[in-house]
Amino acid sequence: MHVSLAEVAWHMLAALAAGAVIGTERSIHGRAAGFRTHTLVCMSASLLMLITVFESQWVPATSGDSVRIDPTRMAQGIMTGIGFLGAGVIFKEGITVRGLTTAASIWTTSAIGILMGTGLYAAGTLATVLTLGVLSIFRLIELRFPTQLYARHMLRFQRGEAMTEAEIRALLTKHGFKISDLSYAVLDSEQAFEYRMAISTLRGENMARLADTLQSLPRVRAFSISPSGD
């Protein structure tokens, strides 16, 4: 069976369109792996699947011989390789882990590319629509969840003027926070005493309230509240 360039182009263009649509959503939300990354991932997955789908074109069977075609092996190789790319967009900073959703979208995009490469256009289109729904509509639903918000918190005092641990705990409890991983540090170079901890709350506005209170306290030399990201 002869395969025309137009037929191959349909596979590639369908994958390109699906990857571009998903990548647009990621770019709009400022993700490093966005429009071009998702487009290339989806199209390359499609290209690799075309190698196996049309294998008979480049490995013709001679008389008396048979060629066993197993496209699933290529699909497995693609998904394994995408794991390295997905790992590259995930990074951890303190208690913050970012990039998990983007890594999952890259993995899904490669699967859609495989569908487009094999010619399952309806399934690939449906998967694209569902993926966009998860990335956009589910985002709005997730924002309504009573999610525990976490942040890294640092308090610095002049040595000899630091608030006690009990005072710190009472202040944070009053503002709706729970404390974990409390640690202490003495900075000889600055003659300062520091508290470092992880704090959590159910209401994002509590962080602004806490910041307003801390900047009004003369004993507090410096502080930071670093919310964790998605």
Side-chain angles (χ1 to χ4, degrees):
M1 179 186 67
H2 178 70
V3 180
S4 66
L5 178 60
E7 186 176 354
V8 173
W10 274 116
H11 290 262
M12 295 171 57
L13 290 174
L16 186 148
V21 170
I22 297 172
T24 299
E25 193 280 338
R26 292 285 84 193
S27 288
I28 289 174
H29 289 95
R31 300 300 184 260
F35 180 72
R36 291 183 299 170
T37 301
H38 283 75
T39 301
L40 289 173
V41 165
C42 197
M43 189 173 67
S44 62
S46 175
L47 289 172
L48 291 172
M49 285 307 298
L50 284 174
I51 294 175
T52 57
V53 170
F54 299 127
E55 185 176 359
S56 59
Q57 298 298 302
W58 56 276
V59 187
T62 59
S63 59
D65 294 330
S66 62
V67 177
R68 184 179 298 274
I69 300 175
D70 186 7
T72 59
R73 290 189 178 183
M74 178 62 79
Q76 292 169 1
I78 293 171
M79 301 310 286
T80 300
I82 289 300
F84 291 97
L85 181 60
V89 301
I90 300 173
F91 64 94
K92 186 176 185 295
E93 181 180 357
I95 61 172
T96 302
V97 178
R98 300 181 183 275
L100 291 172
T101 301
T102 300
S105 69
I106 289 175
W107 194 54
T108 304
T109 302
S110 67
I112 293 172
I114 291 173
L115 289 175
M116 296 302 190
T118 57
L120 298 175
Y121 301 122
T125 301
L126 177 59
T128 303
V129 172
L130 292 177
T131 301
L132 286 174
V134 171
L135 291 174
S136 55
I137 299 174
F138 278 33
R139 176 190 296 272
L140 301 177
I141 297 174
E142 188 177 33
L143 291 175
R144 298 179 179 273
F145 288 168
T147 306
Q148 196 83 9
L149 304 174
Y150 292 87
R152 293 299 301 178
H153 184 34
M154 181 276 290
L155 277 170
R156 181 178 300 169
F157 302 91
Q158 184 71 32
R159 290 183 65 176
E161 299 180 3
M163 297 174 65
T164 65
E165 181 179 336
E167 290 176 317
I168 296 293
R169 290 185 180 276
L171 176 65
L172 291 172
T173 300
K174 178 182 177 182
H175 286 77
F177 288 93
K178 294 181 180 179
I179 301 175
S180 61
D181 301 329
L182 180 63
S183 63
Y184 319 87
V186 174
L187 307 178
D188 288 335
S189 59
E190 301 181 29
Q191 293 295 304
F193 181 83
E194 278 189 2
Y195 290 101
R196 292 182 179 272
M197 67 202 80
I199 57 177
S200 60
T201 182
L202 288 174
R203 302 180 63 182
E205 59 267 26
N206 287 345
M207 295 189 187
R209 289 178 53 240
L210 177 62
D212 290 339
T213 300
L214 292 175
Q215 66 180 342
S216 67
L217 297 177
R219 296 166 64 186
V220 178
R221 286 187 55 192
F223 73 89
S224 66
I225 303 172
S226 305
S228 63
D230 176 357

